Amino acid sequence: MTAARPTDPRDRLIVALDAPDIGEAERLVAAIGDAARFYKIGMELAYGGGLALTAKLAQAGKRVFVDLKLHDIPNTVERATAQIARLGATFLTVHAYPQTMRAAVAGAKGSGLELLAVSVLTSSDDADLAEAGYAYGVAALVERRARQAVAAGIDGLVCSPAEAAKIRAALGDSLLLVTPGVRPAGTATGDQKRVATPAAAIADGADYLVVGRPITQDPDPRAAAERIVGEIAASVSSPRAAGRGPG
Ligand code: C5P
């Protein structure tokens, strides 16, 4: 891994801009102000014309995580990765299939783009994997894919907070760990099946927390982001006090 691990608590929050169009996304960015420095553009916004916001945010000094979870034949993945690199993105996700990861690494070569592999979606549990035809449960598949990501030269992994602890124990600091499925105490879990509080995720070894609805659906998104940054800062200074579960 060549990517540096973040140290400033504010740099460790990534706000998921899950909005239908650029207008709504820009309203959220303006409302959040300097409370966040890192935004994630996912499929909904990208397919609604929002991928162009990547370059705009990057030029405004924000970092951008393009979460398109690429998976296709190697030639297509390599060329698509190179296009995302040209937009000025900091992170791009690809599914953690060895062939796909190797192609993305080739496409990002020589750029500042860092690649994250998606291990197992945090909305999936063992029953969902069995239904999809996998012989592995979540824990075993996540660990297998984490090792394959290191071998492919991937910078980091997207995983649930609970998996972060196991991956840190198994692989040390060889990967950046980025965890969605984060819910401050008292907020709705929605469709996420494996969630943790920001403090628990940090204590489990997460480098970056991806938080969407608890910020974007709060009547005061800026205050919600500030609360989470505060929780990250508090857990960094006293990791043993970190709470577990969303309360
Ligand atoms: O609103 P919420 O905080 O649940 O948003 C989580 C974000 O992280 C969403 O944009 C979702 O697509 C993304 N994500 C996830 N689980 C993964 C990878 C990405 O929830 N394994």
Side-chain angles (χ1 to χ4, degrees):
M1 180 187 90
T2 51
R5 299 183 69 188
T7 49
D8 185 334
R10 198 172 297 280
D11 289 334
R12 299 175 72 170
L13 170 65
I14 302 177
V15 179
L17 278 180
D18 293 326
D21 54 55
I22 288 193
E24 177 62 21
E26 287 191 312
R27 271 191 291 282
L28 276 166
V29 171
I32 293 167
D34 57 9
R37 298 174 181 157
F38 210 150
Y39 288 96
K40 182 170 85 68
I41 293 178
M43 292 184 192
E44 181 190 8
L45 182 54
Y47 298 150
L51 200 54
L53 197 56
T54 305
K56 208 170 165 185
L57 285 172
Q59 277 153 20
K62 303 289 185 190
R63 301 175 86 201
V64 183
F65 171 0
V66 174
D67 187 17
L68 288 182
K69 299 183 176 72
L70 303 188
H71 183 46
D72 206 316
I73 61 169
N75 180 61
T76 302
V77 170
E78 181 175 338
R79 295 169 73 97
T81 300
Q83 293 280 44
I84 301 294
R86 282 183 209 111
L87 295 177
T90 296
F91 286 162
L92 169 68
T93 42
V94 301
H95 279 285
Y97 291 80
Q99 192 183 60
T100 295
M101 293 191 288
R102 287 191 290 269
V105 168
K109 203 169 174 192
S111 76
L113 182 66
E114 294 169 13
L115 295 166
L116 305 177
V118 177
S119 55
V120 177
L121 296 173
T122 49
S123 57
S124 295
D125 57 19
D126 287 349
D128 293 309
L129 289 184
E131 186 186 15
Y134 286 88
Y136 290 87
V138 171
L141 190 56
V142 168
E143 185 169 339
R144 179 183 173 90
R145 288 180 165 176
R147 292 187 190 283
Q148 291 173 328
V150 174
I154 288 284
D155 297 285
L157 207 66
V158 180
C159 61
S160 81
E163 289 146 11
K166 289 183 205 135
I167 294 165
R168 278 275 173 252
L171 296 175
D173 289 345
S174 49
L175 290 167
L176 286 175
L177 298 183
V178 179
T179 61
V182 173
R183 290 291 178 270
T187 52
T189 57
D191 55 357
Q192 298 283 16
K193 289 182 179 165
R194 293 176 282 137
V195 298
T197 62
I202 293 290
D204 283 339
D207 293 301
Y208 293 92
L209 310 185
V210 176
V211 185
R213 288 163 287 184
I215 294 173
T216 58
Q217 294 187 2
D218 192 285
D220 187 345
R222 182 191 176 92
E226 288 290 3
R227 277 195 300 276
I228 292 170
V229 170
E231 207 177 321
I232 294 171
S235 69
V236 170
S237 54
S238 62
R240 281 168 206 285
R244 277 172 196 281

